[in-house]
């Protein structure tokens, strides 16, 4: 498994909550297991106690995205480093994939799943994955969706660092809202211009010949 893949663990956890909509899908142990994927050995070790622990880690990961989104890269790195210190990983070389029929392994780095509890395992993977993404692409590649009220986290992998939304759906919704706002402004300005013209005409009509 490629290390870059692990960064999505952080995004999935952060996006279990939508603060602006007062929604939270991380309320049961089943929801915790869904984050791992049901085939994961660590998912089977999750208990009810992990729900609260996962929420705590989620808040800290969101703080990393928030700091990065606001351009405070130093704070983002400091927050991420605190997670890395608290939840260390155990990297191992893995070769469960093969290049050819002769069984020659394709070696790659893997993060081992043997921490004290499910939360520690997930947090370690999410923090390390996010750290690799940040150091490889930059802290400005960590963002929060700009389509209000959505504030979902995302990882910007665009070539020109232009991503602003978590999904195509949010991008479309934001573009439609911006278009409608422009149309309302244009209509308002046209109405003001028309009213100004009428006022000027009325003023001229009320002027007597002597005044002229």
């Amino acid at each position: 498994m490629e290390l870059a893949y692990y960064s999505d663990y952080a995004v999935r956890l952060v996006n279990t909550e939508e603060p602006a909509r007062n929604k939270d899908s991380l309320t049961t142990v089943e929801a915790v297991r869904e984050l791992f994927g049901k085939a994961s050995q660590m998912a089977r070790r999750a208990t009810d106690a992990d729900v609260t622990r996962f929420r705590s880690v989620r808040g800290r990961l969101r703080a990393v995205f928030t700091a990065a989104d606001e351009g405070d890269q130093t704070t983002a790195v400091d927050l991420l480093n605190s997670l890395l210190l608290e939840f260390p990983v155990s990297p191992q070389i893995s070769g469960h994939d093969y290049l050819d029929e002769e069984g020659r392994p394709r070696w790659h780095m893997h993060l081992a799943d043997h921490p004290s509890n499910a939360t520690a395992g997930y947090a370690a993977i999410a923090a390390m994955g996010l750290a690799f993404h940040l150091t490889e692409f930059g802290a400005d590649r960590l963002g929060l969706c700009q389509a209000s009220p959505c504030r979902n986290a995302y990882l910007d992998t665009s070539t020109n660092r232009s991503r602003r939304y978590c999904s195509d759906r949010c991008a479309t919704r934001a573009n439609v809202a911006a278009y409608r706002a422009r149309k309302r402004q244009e209509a308002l300005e046209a109405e003001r211009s028309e009213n100004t013209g009428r006022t000027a005409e009325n003023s001229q009509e009320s002027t007597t010949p002597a005044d002229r």
Side-chain angles (χ1 to χ4, degrees), residues 46-204:
T47 67
D48 290 334
D50 285 299
V51 176
T52 300
R53 290 194 289 254
F54 260 68
R55 285 180 170 181
S56 176
V57 172
R58 178 181 64 188
R60 295 169 67 182
L61 286 170
R62 176 171 283 278
V64 174
F65 278 92
T66 299
D69 187 67
E70 293 174 349
D72 190 352
Q73 298 190 15
T74 299
T75 297
V77 169
D78 288 344
L79 292 171
L80 189 51
N81 274 335
S82 69
L83 284 165
L84 291 170
L85 287 172
E86 185 173 345
F87 303 105
V89 298
S90 300
Q92 293 182 350
I93 299 174
S94 177
H96 53 75
D97 295 325
Y98 296 91
L99 293 176
D100 53 34
E101 295 180 356
E102 296 179 7
R104 293 182 298 181
R106 181 174 61 193
W107 301 113
H108 57 273
M109 293 300 297
H110 177 79
L111 301 184
D113 292 337
H114 50 73
S116 58
N117 57 64
T119 302
Y122 195 99
I125 291 172
M128 180 56 72
L130 204 57
F132 270 99
H133 191 93
L134 186 150
T135 54
E136 179 71 18
F137 302 106
D140 58 341
R141 293 289 188 144
L142 279 58
L144 294 174
C145 187
Q146 300 300 302
S148 180
C150 179
R151 294 294 282 166
N152 277 352
Y154 65 83
L155 299 171
D156 185 359
T157 56
S158 63
T159 57
N160 58 356
R161 300 173 183 263
S162 61
R163 184 171 178 179
R164 298 176 56 205
Y165 308 105
C166 68
S167 64
D168 290 340
R169 178 181 179 182
C170 275
T172 299
R173 182 161 55 84
N175 289 334
V176 169
Y179 173 80
R180 289 175 177 172
R182 287 195 303 270
K183 287 300 182 181
R184 286 195 297 269
Q185 184 62 30
E186 290 173 0
L188 181 61
E189 292 176 354
E191 182 179 355
R192 288 175 178 172
S193 178
E194 183 177 352
N195 290 337
T196 299
R198 288 176 178 174
T199 300
E201 290 177 0
N202 292 337
S203 177
Q204 290 179 354

